[in-house]
Amino acid sequence: METLLAFDFGLKRIGVAIGNTLIKQAQPLTIISAATNDAKFAELGKLIDEWTPTRCIVGLPSHPDGAEHEMTVRCRRFANQLHGRFGVETVLVDERYSSAVIEQRRGEHIDAEAAAIILQQYFDDSHEHN
């Protein structure tokens, strides 16, 4: 059984979800909203130390037609930094449709739920390939 952490990366907040390869059910875990990059990675480090994930899943946003934009580049960089700083395998998952699944309501933090949808999508996709 492997534990996985998933991240919905945003400039202000990073949604985090957790799941494992045994039951393949993603659960929202927390939202990281530290002010600085160093503080964000310090919080990420605590989560990785606590949960010791085998791999981290990072949502990769893009335009509906698959074209990349600024956040696509930032999410790739974030995934590379996760791998480089913590030595954990990172997998990028197309998240074009994950935010459409959540009805966005003003003032509600949905980042952890978005991360759970990204992880659930990873589980569902990997199940099809096995």
Side-chain angles (χ1 to χ4, degrees):
M1 183 187 81
E2 299 177 346
T3 298
L4 281 66
L5 287 178
F7 300 96
D8 178 46
F9 177 79
L11 297 179
K12 292 184 177 160
R13 291 179 304 278
I14 301 170
V16 186
I18 190 165
N20 66 57
T21 54
L22 181 65
I23 57 172
K24 296 188 179 191
Q25 288 292 312
Q27 298 291 323
L29 182 62
T30 189
I31 296 170
I32 293 173
S33 55
T36 67
N37 213 30
D38 286 344
K40 283 178 187 159
F41 276 98
E43 286 192 41
L44 289 165
K46 288 178 193 166
L47 286 174
I48 288 170
D49 285 346
E50 180 180 353
W51 296 101
T52 59
T54 309
R55 89 184 55 108
C56 292
I57 311 304
V58 176
L60 188 67
S62 59
H63 291 293
D65 65 359
E68 296 198 357
H69 52 69
E70 183 187 356
M71 281 307 290
T72 317
V73 175
R74 289 177 183 267
C75 288
R76 284 187 194 282
R77 186 180 308 138
F78 172 72
N80 289 337
Q81 288 174 320
L82 271 180
H83 176 71
R85 288 184 186 222
F86 306 113
V88 64
E89 178 189 353
T90 56
V91 179
L92 294 162
V93 171
D94 182 351
E95 68 164 52
R96 273 181 284 177
Y97 310 108
S98 62
S99 58
V101 175
I102 299 173
E103 183 184 329
Q104 292 207 2
R105 290 168 292 231
R106 191 179 302 234
E108 285 193 29
H109 294 303
I110 57 153
D111 306 284
E113 286 86 352
I117 288 174
I118 289 164
L119 182 55
Q120 195 62 55
Q121 188 174 322
Y122 172 82
F123 285 143
D124 295 346
D125 289 349
S126 64
H127 177 72
E128 289 171 14
H129 301 306
N130 290 343

